[in-house]
Amino acid sequence: MKTLYESIDKAASNKGQAASVKKHLAAVGINDWNELTKSNLYELRDHLNESVAPNTAKTILASLKSILHRYEEEVELPRGWEIIVTARGEKPQKTYLTRKEIEQFAGVETRGEVERYVKACFLVSCWTGMRVSDAKRITPENIKDGTLSY
């Protein structure tokens, strides 16, 4: 049997999902199959509820649940584990910025390379309607004759 983390890498739908699940499992000390106890799963859920947004917690737990379902016949999981790794999300609250607020934000000085990058991604997203995840992938090759395309 593969280790828990190897199994997560194999079963996750993408690398980002696997990395997120492993990061939060490690944060509460779950590193192997035998550490998937009820109390540790409750600790994981509590950790997520304290450290990430409710909808993110719901996504991470749903990812973990999907992975565990794949292996539930090969490993012994505590009774009722599915209920523990279930979380409710929140209805999103939409927030809008005015053009003036976006321009004010554009004028804010950044203190480093990371802040400049985050600010640039956010502003590209604001000005184009592009998702931030897509804005992160923009390169100079996406700009031709003054037009941004992706």
Side-chain angles (χ1 to χ4, degrees):
M1 178 74 188
K2 293 181 180 186
T3 68
L4 174 61
Y5 287 6
E6 289 171 339
S7 300
I8 290 169
D9 285 333
K10 183 177 179 181
S13 61
N14 62 61
K15 289 180 183 180
Q17 178 191 55
S20 182
V21 170
K22 291 188 302 186
K23 170 187 165 185
H24 292 287
L25 287 172
V28 296
I30 300 174
N31 298 299
D32 208 347
W33 289 107
N34 62 346
E35 294 170 340
L36 289 172
T37 63
K38 270 188 174 183
S39 62
N40 283 347
L41 291 174
Y42 276 116
E43 189 173 335
L44 172 65
R45 188 177 69 186
D46 293 344
H47 159 75
L48 287 168
N49 288 331
E50 293 169 4
S51 62
V52 298
N55 289 336
T56 302
K58 178 181 178 182
T59 300
I60 292 168
L61 289 173
S63 298
L64 176 61
K65 184 188 281 190
S66 173
I67 292 164
L68 294 180
H69 270 294
R70 182 171 177 168
Y71 295 102
E72 68 184 333
E73 291 182 7
E74 299 172 37
V75 297
E76 189 173 330
L77 297 170
R79 189 174 30 190
W81 68 270
E82 290 174 295
I83 294 168
I84 300 168
V85 295
T86 301
R88 288 197 174 130
E90 285 184 346
K91 189 174 183 180
Q93 181 177 349
K94 296 183 181 192
T95 304
Y96 302 92
L97 298 176
T98 65
R99 174 179 233 117
K100 183 178 178 183
E101 289 169 328
I102 294 169
E103 289 169 0
Q104 285 177 327
F105 178 75
V108 172
E109 287 190 40
T110 54
R111 294 177 291 203
E113 200 62 35
V114 173
E115 284 186 12
R116 261 190 298 284
Y117 174 74
V118 170
K119 178 181 171 184
C121 288
F122 178 77
L123 288 172
V124 167
S125 179
C126 285
W127 290 326
T128 64
M130 185 184 304
R131 295 180 305 193
V132 173
S133 60
D134 290 332
K136 290 178 181 180
R137 297 182 184 141
I138 294 297
T139 65
E141 289 77 38
N142 293 102
I143 303 171
K144 290 186 177 100
D145 300 323
T147 302
L148 173 66
S149 61
Y150 69 103

